[in-house]
Structures are given as C-alpha cells and as structure tokens.
Coordinates of all heavy atoms in Angstrom, one line a residue:
M126 N 91.4 89.8 72.5 CA 91.1 91.2 73.0 C 91.2 92.1 71.8 O 92.1 92.2 71.0 CB 92.1 91.6 74.1 CG 91.8 93.0 74.6 SD 92.8 93.4 76.0 CE 94.5 93.3 75.4
D127 N 90.1 93.0 71.7 CA 90.1 94.0 70.6 C 90.9 95.2 71.2 O 90.5 95.9 72.1 CB 88.7 94.4 70.3 CG 88.6 95.4 69.2 OD1 89.6 96.0 68.9 OD2 87.4 95.7 68.8
L128 N 92.0 95.5 70.6 CA 92.9 96.5 71.1 C 92.4 97.9 70.7 O 92.9 98.9 71.2 CB 94.3 96.3 70.6 CG 95.0 95.0 71.2 CD1 96.4 94.8 70.6 CD2 95.1 95.1 72.7
R129 N 91.5 98.0 69.8 CA 91.0 99.3 69.4 C 90.0 99.9 70.3 O 89.8 101.1 70.5 CB 90.4 99.3 67.9 CG 91.5 99.1 66.9 CD 90.9 98.7 65.6 NE 90.2 97.5 65.7 CZ 89.4 97.0 64.8 NH1 89.1 97.6 63.7 NH2 88.8 95.8 65.1
R130 N 89.2 99.0 71.0 CA 88.3 99.4 72.0 C 88.5 98.6 73.2 O 88.0 97.5 73.3 CB 86.9 99.3 71.5 CG 86.5 100.4 70.6 CD 85.1 100.2 70.0 NE 84.1 100.1 71.1 CZ 83.4 101.1 71.6 NH1 83.6 102.3 71.2 NH2 82.5 100.9 72.6
C131 N 89.2 99.0 74.1 CA 89.6 98.2 75.3 C 89.1 98.9 76.6 O 89.6 99.9 76.9 CB 91.1 98.0 75.4 SG 91.6 97.1 76.8
K132 N 88.1 98.3 77.2 CA 87.6 98.8 78.4 C 88.6 98.7 79.5 O 89.3 97.7 79.6 CB 86.3 98.1 78.8 CG 85.6 98.7 80.0 CD 84.1 98.3 79.9 CE 83.4 98.9 81.1 NZ 83.4 100.4 81.2
R133 N 88.9 99.8 80.2 CA 89.8 99.8 81.3 C 91.3 99.7 80.8 O 92.1 99.3 81.6 CB 89.5 98.8 82.3 CG 88.1 99.1 83.0 CD 87.8 98.3 84.1 NE 86.5 98.7 84.7 CZ 85.9 98.0 85.6 NH1 86.4 96.9 86.2 NH2 84.7 98.5 86.1
C134 N 91.5 100.0 79.6 CA 92.9 100.1 79.1 C 93.3 101.6 79.1 O 92.5 102.5 78.8 CB 93.1 99.6 77.7 SG 93.3 97.8 77.7
L135 N 94.6 101.8 79.4 CA 95.2 103.1 79.1 C 95.8 103.1 77.7 O 96.1 102.0 77.2 CB 96.3 103.4 80.2 CG 95.8 103.4 81.6 CD1 97.0 103.5 82.6 CD2 94.8 104.5 81.9
I136 N 96.1 104.3 77.2 CA 96.7 104.3 75.8 C 98.0 103.6 75.7 O 98.2 102.8 74.8 CB 96.8 105.8 75.4 CG1 95.5 106.5 75.3 CG2 97.6 105.9 74.1 CD1 94.6 105.9 74.2
Y137 N 98.8 103.7 76.8 CA 100.1 103.0 76.6 C 100.0 101.5 76.6 O 100.9 100.8 76.2 CB 101.1 103.5 77.7 CG 101.1 102.7 79.0 CD1 102.1 101.7 79.2 CD2 100.2 103.0 80.0 CE1 102.1 101.0 80.4 CE2 100.2 102.2 81.2 CZ 101.2 101.3 81.4 OH 101.2 100.5 82.5
E138 N 98.9 101.0 77.1 CA 98.7 99.5 77.1 C 98.1 99.0 75.7 O 98.0 97.8 75.5 CB 97.7 99.1 78.2 CG 98.3 99.5 79.6 CD 97.2 99.4 80.6 OE1 96.1 99.8 80.4 OE2 97.6 98.8 81.7
M139 N 97.7 99.9 74.9 CA 97.1 99.6 73.6 C 98.1 99.5 72.5 O 99.2 99.9 72.6 CB 95.9 100.5 73.3 CG 94.9 100.4 74.4 SD 93.6 101.7 74.3 CE 92.9 101.2 72.7
A140 N 97.6 99.1 71.3 CA 98.5 98.9 70.2 C 98.9 100.2 69.5 O 99.8 100.2 68.7 CB 97.8 97.9 69.2
D141 N 98.1 101.3 69.8 CA 98.4 102.5 69.0 C 99.6 103.3 69.6 O 99.4 104.2 70.4 CB 97.1 103.4 69.1 CG 97.2 104.6 68.1 OD1 98.3 104.9 67.6 OD2 96.2 105.2 67.9
K142 N 100.8 102.9 69.2 CA 102.0 103.5 69.7 C 102.1 104.9 69.3 O 102.7 105.7 70.1 CB 103.2 102.7 69.3 CG 103.2 101.3 69.8 CD 103.1 101.2 71.3 CE 103.0 99.8 71.8 NZ 102.4 99.7 73.2
A143 N 101.6 105.3 68.2 CA 101.6 106.7 67.7 C 100.8 107.6 68.7 O 101.3 108.7 69.0 CB 101.1 106.8 66.3
A144 N 99.6 107.1 69.1 CA 98.8 107.9 70.0 C 99.5 108.0 71.3 O 99.5 109.1 71.9 CB 97.5 107.2 70.1
Y145 N 100.1 107.0 71.8 CA 100.8 107.0 73.1 C 102.0 108.0 73.0 O 102.2 108.8 73.9 CB 101.3 105.7 73.5 CG 102.1 105.8 74.8 CD1 101.5 106.2 76.0 CD2 103.4 105.5 74.8 CE1 102.2 106.4 77.1 CE2 104.2 105.7 76.0 CZ 103.5 106.1 77.1 OH 104.3 106.3 78.3
E146 N 102.8 108.0 71.9 CA 103.9 108.9 71.7 C 103.4 110.3 71.7 O 104.1 111.2 72.3 CB 104.6 108.6 70.4 CG 105.6 107.4 70.5 CD 106.7 107.7 71.6 OE1 107.3 108.7 71.7 OE2 106.9 106.8 72.4
S147 N 102.3 110.6 71.1 CA 101.7 111.9 71.1 C 101.4 112.4 72.5 O 101.7 113.5 72.9 CB 100.5 111.9 70.2 OG 99.9 113.2 70.3
I148 N 100.8 111.5 73.3 CA 100.4 111.8 74.7 C 101.7 112.0 75.5 O 101.8 113.0 76.3 CB 99.5 110.7 75.2 CG1 98.1 110.9 74.6 CG2 99.5 110.7 76.8 CD1 97.2 109.7 75.0
K149 N 102.6 111.1 75.3 CA 103.9 111.2 76.1 C 104.6 112.5 75.8 O 105.1 113.2 76.7 CB 104.8 110.0 75.8 CG 106.0 109.9 76.7 CD 106.8 108.7 76.4 CE 108.0 108.6 77.3 NZ 108.8 109.7 77.3
N150 N 104.6 112.9 74.5 CA 105.3 114.2 74.1 C 104.6 115.3 74.8 O 105.3 116.3 75.3 CB 105.3 114.3 72.6 CG 106.3 113.4 72.0 OD1 107.2 112.8 72.6 ND2 106.1 113.1 70.7
Y151 N 103.3 115.3 74.8 CA 102.5 116.4 75.5 C 102.9 116.5 77.0 O 103.2 117.5 77.5 CB 101.0 116.2 75.3 CG 100.2 117.2 76.1 CD1 100.1 118.5 75.7 CD2 99.7 116.8 77.3 CE1 99.4 119.4 76.5 CE2 99.0 117.7 78.1 CZ 98.9 119.0 77.7 OH 98.2 119.9 78.5
I152 N 102.8 115.3 77.6 CA 103.1 115.3 79.1 C 104.6 115.8 79.3 O 104.8 116.6 80.2 CB 102.9 113.9 79.6 CG1 101.4 113.6 79.6 CG2 103.4 113.8 81.1 CD1 101.1 112.1 79.9
D153 N 105.5 115.3 78.5 CA 106.9 115.7 78.7 C 107.1 117.2 78.5 O 108.0 117.8 79.1 CB 107.8 115.0 77.7 CG 107.9 113.5 78.1 OD1 107.6 113.1 79.2 OD2 108.4 112.7 77.2
S154 N 106.2 117.8 77.7 CA 106.3 119.3 77.4 C 105.7 120.1 78.5 O 106.0 121.4 78.6 CB 105.6 119.6 76.1 OG 104.2 119.6 76.3
L155 N 105.0 119.5 79.5 CA 104.4 120.3 80.6 C 105.5 120.9 81.5 O 106.5 120.1 81.8 CB 103.5 119.5 81.4 CG 102.2 119.1 80.8 CD1 101.4 118.1 81.7 CD2 101.3 120.3 80.5
P156 N 105.4 122.1 81.9 CA 106.4 122.6 82.9 C 106.4 121.8 84.2 O 105.3 121.4 84.6 CB 106.0 124.1 83.1 CG 105.1 124.4 82.0 CD 104.4 123.1 81.5
A157 N 107.5 121.6 84.8 CA 107.5 120.8 86.0 C 106.5 121.2 87.1 O 105.9 120.4 87.7 CB 109.0 120.8 86.6
E158 N 106.4 122.6 87.2 CA 105.5 123.1 88.2 C 104.0 122.8 87.9 O 103.1 123.0 88.8 CB 105.7 124.6 88.5 CG 105.4 125.5 87.3 CD 106.6 125.7 86.4 OE1 107.5 124.9 86.4 OE2 106.5 126.6 85.5
E159 N 103.7 122.4 86.7 CA 102.3 122.1 86.3 C 102.0 120.6 86.3 O 100.9 120.2 86.0 CB 102.0 122.7 85.0 CG 102.0 124.2 85.0 CD 101.7 124.8 83.6 OE1 101.1 124.1 82.8 OE2 102.0 126.0 83.4
K160 N 103.0 119.8 86.5 CA 102.9 118.4 86.3 C 102.8 117.6 87.7 O 103.5 118.0 88.6 CB 104.2 117.9 85.6 CG 104.0 116.6 84.9 CD 105.3 116.1 84.2 CE 105.9 117.1 83.3 NZ 107.1 116.5 82.5
S161 N 101.9 116.7 87.7 CA 101.8 115.9 89.0 C 103.0 115.0 89.1 O 103.6 114.6 88.1 CB 100.5 115.1 89.0 OG 100.4 114.3 87.8
D162 N 103.4 114.7 90.3 CA 104.5 113.8 90.5 C 104.2 112.4 90.1 O 103.0 112.1 90.0 CB 105.2 114.0 91.8 CG 104.4 113.4 93.0 OD1 103.7 112.4 92.8 OD2 104.6 114.0 94.1
E163 N 105.2 111.6 89.9 CA 105.0 110.2 89.4 C 104.0 109.4 90.3 O 103.2 108.7 89.8 CB 106.3 109.5 89.3 CG 106.3 108.2 88.6 CD 105.8 108.3 87.1 OE1 106.0 109.3 86.5 OE2 105.4 107.2 86.6
S164 N 104.1 109.5 91.6 CA 103.3 108.7 92.5 C 101.8 109.1 92.4 O 100.9 108.3 92.4 CB 103.8 108.7 93.9 OG 103.7 110.0 94.5
V165 N 101.6 110.4 92.3 CA 100.2 110.9 92.2 C 99.7 110.5 90.8 O 98.5 110.0 90.7 CB 100.2 112.5 92.3 CG1 98.8 113.1 91.9 CG2 100.5 112.9 93.7
Y166 N 100.5 110.6 89.8 CA 100.1 110.3 88.4 C 99.7 108.8 88.4 O 98.6 108.4 87.9 CB 101.2 110.5 87.5 CG 101.0 110.2 86.0 CD1 100.1 111.0 85.3 CD2 101.6 109.2 85.4 CE1 99.8 110.8 84.0 CE2 101.4 109.0 84.0 CZ 100.5 109.7 83.3 OH 100.2 109.5 82.0
R167 N 100.5 107.9 88.9 CA 100.2 106.5 88.9 C 99.0 106.2 89.8 O 98.2 105.3 89.4 CB 101.4 105.7 89.5 CG 102.6 105.7 88.5 CD 102.3 104.8 87.3 NE 103.1 105.3 86.2 CZ 102.7 105.2 84.9 NH1 101.6 104.6 84.6 NH2 103.4 105.7 83.9
S168 N 98.9 106.8 90.9 CA 97.7 106.6 91.8 C 96.4 107.0 91.0 O 95.4 106.3 91.1 CB 97.9 107.4 93.0 OG 96.7 107.5 93.7
R169 N 96.4 108.1 90.4 CA 95.2 108.5 89.6 C 94.9 107.5 88.5 O 93.7 107.2 88.4 CB 95.5 109.9 89.0 CG 95.5 111.0 90.0 CD 96.0 112.3 89.3 NE 95.8 113.5 90.2 CZ 96.2 114.7 89.9 NH1 96.7 115.0 88.7 NH2 96.0 115.7 90.7
L170 N 95.9 107.1 87.8 CA 95.6 106.2 86.7 C 95.1 104.8 87.2 O 94.3 104.2 86.6 CB 96.9 106.0 85.8 CG 97.3 107.2 85.0 CD1 98.5 106.9 84.2 CD2 96.2 107.7 84.1
N171 N 95.6 104.4 88.4 CA 95.1 103.2 89.0 C 93.6 103.3 89.3 O 92.9 102.3 89.1 CB 95.9 102.8 90.2 CG 97.3 102.2 89.9 OD1 97.5 101.8 88.8 ND2 98.2 102.3 90.8
V172 N 93.2 104.4 89.7 CA 91.7 104.7 90.0 C 91.0 104.6 88.7 O 89.9 103.9 88.6 CB 91.5 106.0 90.7 CG1 90.0 106.3 90.8 CG2 92.2 106.0 92.1
C173 N 91.5 105.3 87.7 CA 90.8 105.2 86.3 C 90.7 103.8 85.8 O 89.6 103.5 85.2 CB 91.6 106.1 85.3 SG 91.5 107.9 85.7
K174 N 91.7 103.0 86.0 CA 91.7 101.7 85.5 C 90.6 100.8 86.1 O 90.2 99.8 85.6 CB 93.0 101.0 85.6 CG 94.0 101.5 84.5 CD 95.4 100.8 84.7 CE 95.3 99.3 84.5 NZ 94.9 98.9 83.1
E175 N 90.1 101.2 87.3 CA 89.0 100.5 88.0 C 87.7 101.1 87.7 O 86.7 100.7 88.3 CB 89.3 100.5 89.5 CG 90.6 99.7 89.9 CD 90.5 98.3 89.4 OE1 89.5 97.6 89.6 OE2 91.6 97.8 88.9
C176 N 87.6 102.2 86.9 CA 86.4 102.9 86.7 C 85.6 102.5 85.5 O 86.2 102.3 84.4 CB 86.8 104.4 86.6 SG 85.4 105.5 86.3
D177 N 84.3 102.4 85.6 CA 83.5 102.0 84.5 C 83.5 103.0 83.4 O 83.0 102.7 82.3 CB 82.1 101.7 85.0 CG 81.9 100.4 85.7 OD1 82.8 99.6 85.6 OD2 81.0 100.3 86.5
S178 N 83.9 104.2 83.7 CA 83.8 105.3 82.6 C 85.0 105.3 81.7 O 85.1 106.0 80.7 CB 83.7 106.7 83.3 OG 82.5 106.8 84.0
L179 N 86.0 104.5 82.0 CA 87.2 104.4 81.2 C 87.0 103.5 80.0 O 86.5 102.4 80.1 CB 88.4 103.9 81.9 CG 89.7 103.8 81.1 CD1 90.2 105.2 80.8 CD2 90.8 103.0 81.9
L180 N 87.2 104.0 78.8 CA 87.1 103.2 77.6 C 88.2 103.6 76.6 O 88.3 104.8 76.2 CB 85.7 103.4 76.9 CG 85.5 102.6 75.6 CD1 85.5 101.1 76.0 CD2 84.2 103.0 75.0
S181 N 89.1 102.7 76.3 CA 90.2 102.9 75.3 C 91.0 104.1 75.7 O 91.4 104.9 74.9 CB 89.6 103.0 73.9 OG 88.9 101.9 73.5
G182 N 91.3 104.2 77.0 CA 92.1 105.3 77.5 C 91.4 106.6 77.7 O 92.0 107.6 78.1
M183 N 90.1 106.7 77.3 CA 89.4 107.9 77.4 C 88.3 107.9 78.5 O 87.7 106.9 78.7 CB 88.7 108.2 76.1 CG 88.0 109.6 76.0 SD 87.3 109.9 74.4 CE 88.8 110.3 73.5
C184 N 88.2 109.0 79.2 CA 87.2 109.1 80.2 C 85.9 109.5 79.5 O 85.8 110.5 78.9 CB 87.6 110.1 81.3 SG 86.2 110.5 82.4
R185 N 84.8 108.7 79.7 CA 83.6 109.0 79.1 C 82.8 110.1 79.8 O 81.8 110.6 79.4 CB 82.7 107.7 78.9 CG 83.3 106.8 77.9 CD 82.5 105.6 77.6 NE 82.6 104.7 78.8 CZ 81.8 103.7 79.0 NH1 80.9 103.4 78.1 NH2 82.0 102.9 80.1
K186 N 83.3 110.5 81.0 CA 82.6 111.6 81.7 C 83.1 113.0 81.2 O 82.3 113.9 81.2 CB 82.9 111.5 83.2 CG 82.3 110.3 83.9 CD 80.8 110.4 84.0 CE 80.3 109.2 84.8 NZ 78.8 109.2 84.6
C187 N 84.4 113.0 80.8 CA 84.9 114.3 80.4 C 85.4 114.4 79.0 O 85.7 115.4 78.4 CB 86.0 114.8 81.4 SG 87.4 113.8 81.4
G188 N 85.6 113.2 78.4 CA 86.2 113.1 77.0 C 87.7 113.3 76.9 O 88.2 113.3 75.8
C189 N 88.3 113.3 78.1 CA 89.8 113.4 78.1 C 90.5 112.1 78.0 O 89.9 111.1 78.5 CB 90.3 114.1 79.3 SG 89.8 115.8 79.6
Y190 N 91.7 112.0 77.4 CA 92.5 110.9 77.7 C 93.0 111.0 79.1 O 93.6 112.0 79.5 CB 93.7 110.9 76.7 CG 93.3 110.5 75.3 CD1 93.4 111.4 74.2 CD2 92.8 109.2 75.0 CE1 93.0 111.0 73.0 CE2 92.4 108.8 73.8 CZ 92.5 109.7 72.7 OH 92.1 109.4 71.5
V191 N 92.8 109.9 79.9 CA 93.1 110.1 81.3 C 94.6 110.2 81.6 O 95.0 110.8 82.6 CB 92.5 108.9 82.1 CG1 91.0 108.9 82.1 CG2 93.1 107.5 81.7
E192 N 95.4 109.7 80.7 CA 96.9 109.8 80.9 C 97.3 111.3 80.8 O 98.2 111.7 81.4 CB 97.6 109.0 79.9 CG 97.6 107.5 80.4 CD 97.6 106.5 79.2 OE1 96.6 106.5 78.4 OE2 98.6 105.8 79.1
V193 N 96.5 112.1 80.0 CA 96.8 113.5 79.9 C 96.2 114.2 81.1 O 96.9 115.0 81.7 CB 96.2 114.1 78.6 CG1 96.2 115.6 78.6 CG2 96.9 113.5 77.4
R194 N 95.0 113.9 81.4 CA 94.3 114.6 82.5 C 95.0 114.4 83.8 O 95.2 115.3 84.6 CB 92.9 114.1 82.6 CG 92.0 115.0 83.5 CD 90.5 114.5 83.5 NE 89.7 115.4 84.3 CZ 89.1 116.5 83.8 NH1 89.2 116.8 82.5 NH2 88.4 117.3 84.5
A195 N 95.5 113.1 84.1 CA 96.1 112.8 85.3 C 97.5 113.5 85.5 O 98.0 113.7 86.6 CB 96.3 111.3 85.5
A196 N 98.0 114.0 84.4 CA 99.4 114.6 84.4 C 99.4 116.0 85.0 O 100.4 116.5 85.4 CB 100.0 114.5 83.0
G197 N 98.2 116.6 84.9 CA 98.2 118.0 85.4 C 98.0 118.1 86.9 O 97.1 117.5 87.5
I198 N 98.9 118.9 87.5 CA 98.9 118.9 89.0 C 97.5 119.4 89.5 O 97.1 119.0 90.6 CB 100.1 119.8 89.5 CG1 100.3 119.5 91.0 CG2 99.9 121.3 89.2 CD1 101.6 120.0 91.5
K199 N 96.9 120.3 88.8 CA 95.6 120.9 89.3 C 94.4 120.2 88.7 O 93.2 120.5 89.0 CB 95.5 122.4 88.9 CG 96.5 123.2 89.7 CD 96.3 124.7 89.3 CE 97.4 125.5 90.1 NZ 97.4 126.9 89.6
A200 N 94.6 119.1 87.9 CA 93.5 118.4 87.3 C 92.7 117.6 88.4 O 93.3 117.3 89.4 CB 94.0 117.5 86.2
H201 N 91.5 117.3 88.0 CA 90.7 116.5 88.9 C 89.8 115.6 88.1 O 89.5 115.8 87.0 CB 89.9 117.4 89.9 CG 88.9 118.2 89.1 ND1 89.3 119.5 88.6 CD2 87.6 118.0 88.8 CE1 88.2 120.0 87.9 NE2 87.2 119.1 88.0
C202 N 89.4 114.5 88.7 CA 88.4 113.6 88.1 C 87.0 114.3 88.1 O 86.6 114.9 89.1 CB 88.3 112.3 89.0 SG 86.9 111.3 88.7
P203 N 86.3 114.2 87.0 CA 85.0 114.9 86.9 C 84.0 114.4 87.9 O 83.0 115.1 88.2 CB 84.6 114.7 85.5 CG 85.3 113.6 85.0 CD 86.6 113.6 85.7
V204 N 84.2 113.2 88.4 CA 83.2 112.7 89.4 C 83.9 112.5 90.8 O 83.5 111.8 91.7 CB 82.5 111.4 89.0 CG1 81.6 111.7 87.8 CG2 83.5 110.3 88.7
E205 N 85.0 113.3 90.9 CA 85.8 113.4 92.2 C 86.2 112.0 92.8 O 86.2 111.9 94.0 CB 84.9 114.1 93.2 CG 84.6 115.5 92.7 CD 83.7 116.3 93.7 OE1 83.3 115.8 94.8 OE2 83.5 117.5 93.5
K206 N 86.6 111.1 91.9 CA 87.3 109.9 92.4 C 88.7 110.2 92.7 O 89.4 109.4 93.5 CB 87.2 108.8 91.3 CG 85.7 108.3 91.2 CD 85.7 107.1 90.3 CE 84.3 106.5 90.2 NZ 84.3 105.2 89.4
W207 N 89.3 111.2 92.1 CA 90.7 111.6 92.5 C 90.7 113.1 92.3 O 89.9 113.8 91.7 CB 91.8 110.9 91.8 CG 91.7 110.8 90.3 CD1 91.3 109.7 89.6 CD2 92.1 111.8 89.3 NE1 91.4 110.0 88.2 CE2 91.9 111.3 88.1 CE3 92.6 113.1 89.4 CZ2 92.2 112.0 86.9 CZ3 92.9 113.8 88.3 CH2 92.7 113.3 87.0
Ligands
LIG287 S1 88.8 110.6 85.4 FE1 87.3 109.8 87.0 S2 85.4 109.3 85.9 FE2 87.1 109.5 84.4 S3 87.9 107.4 84.1 FE3 89.1 108.4 85.7 S4 88.2 107.9 87.6 FE4 86.7 107.5 86.0

C-alpha cells in the first residue's frame, strides 16, 4: 500500500505522524463549545471513509482534511452526507 496517497485513509491511519500531530493539536485547541462530540466525530469520519471523494485524508469536494472538518460542531459535508 502506498501510504502517501491512500484512498479512503484518514491522516491518523497514514505514515505522516507529523501531519496527524498538527491536526490533533488544532482539534485539541478548539473551544469545547465549537467541537463535535466524540460519537458525532467518529460517525462523520466513518461516512468519509466510505466516500469516493476521500483521498489521503482530504475531501476532494472541499479540499479540507476531513479529520479537521468533522471536528467542528457546525461543520457539514459539502455534499450533505453528514
Ligand atoms: S466530507 Fe463529504 S464529500 Fe467529503 S469525503 Fe467526507 S463524506 Fe465525502
């Protein structure tokens, strides 16, 4: 498996631990009232993992890292899958 371009992988599943740490630090810095709860977050990411638009942790519809996008309580999928 090519870990640099992995269809249907999230960043935390890939070899780039520095990128994941950066994303995790950003999510951890969000105020609690702006952050989706863990069950919503996991549910959103499970939808992304089944989506053809996910490539190497990034949504090809919006250009976001889905682990960042899913963390925002008011965030939404650009094609309304969640
Ligand atoms: S945010 Fe929506 S379109 Fe993008 S990868 Fe996730 S489910 Fe697919």
Side-chain angles (χ1 to χ4, degrees):
M126 177 172 63
D127 181 348
L128 294 174
R129 289 167 298 167
R130 281 177 57 91
C131 177
K132 189 153 178 62
R133 297 189 177 170
C134 279
L135 301 172
I136 293 295
Y137 92 95
E138 297 168 318
M139 298 174 62
D141 189 348
K142 298 302 173 203
Y145 176 64
E146 277 303 309
S147 174
I148 285 172
K149 186 174 181 311
N150 288 341
Y151 171 78
I152 292 169
D153 289 347
S154 76
L155 289 174
E158 63 274 15
E159 293 179 18
K160 203 181 306 186
S161 55
D162 70 31
E163 188 66 20
S164 64
V165 169
Y166 183 67
R167 290 288 151 209
S168 165
R169 289 173 171 178
L170 293 181
N171 285 338
V172 173
C173 291
K174 283 180 63 65
E175 297 300 317
C176 179
D177 286 340
S178 294
L179 182 68
L180 182 65
S181 301
M183 184 176 287
C184 172
R185 289 183 290 169
K186 295 291 183 190
C187 66
C189 293
Y190 286 114
V191 296
E192 284 146 295
V193 171
R194 193 174 186 93
I198 196 166
K199 292 182 180 171
H201 61 276
C202 162
V204 295
E205 301 180 356
K206 290 188 175 183
W207 51 259

